[in-house]
Amino acid sequence: MQENPAFETSSAARQLRPVVITVVAAKIAVFALLMTTVNIQTPIPAAIELAELR
């Protein structure tokens, strides 16, 4: 008896779903971790910029 190819595809997709969810969650976690370690400079107020130009 042969199995339906559509059933095999959906079965493979069902088996890979936890892997895909884990990989996406790991990528989001790494991105969040990297973003917390990045030093983002605060914008310099216009008055200080003008004083520096003089």
Side-chain angles (χ1 to χ4, degrees):
M1 208 175 188
Q2 287 184 332
E3 289 190 30
N4 188 358
F7 177 74
E8 290 176 11
T9 305
S10 69
S11 174
R14 212 174 306 119
Q15 289 175 347
L16 284 176
R17 177 176 265 173
V19 175
V20 171
I21 291 173
T22 304
V23 168
V24 170
K27 284 186 174 190
I28 291 172
V30 168
F31 175 77
L33 206 74
L34 288 174
M35 288 305 292
T36 58
T37 60
V38 171
N39 264 341
I40 299 175
Q41 281 188 339
T42 55
I44 300 173
I48 295 175
E49 287 179 359
L50 289 176
E52 288 179 351
L53 290 175
R54 293 184 183 179

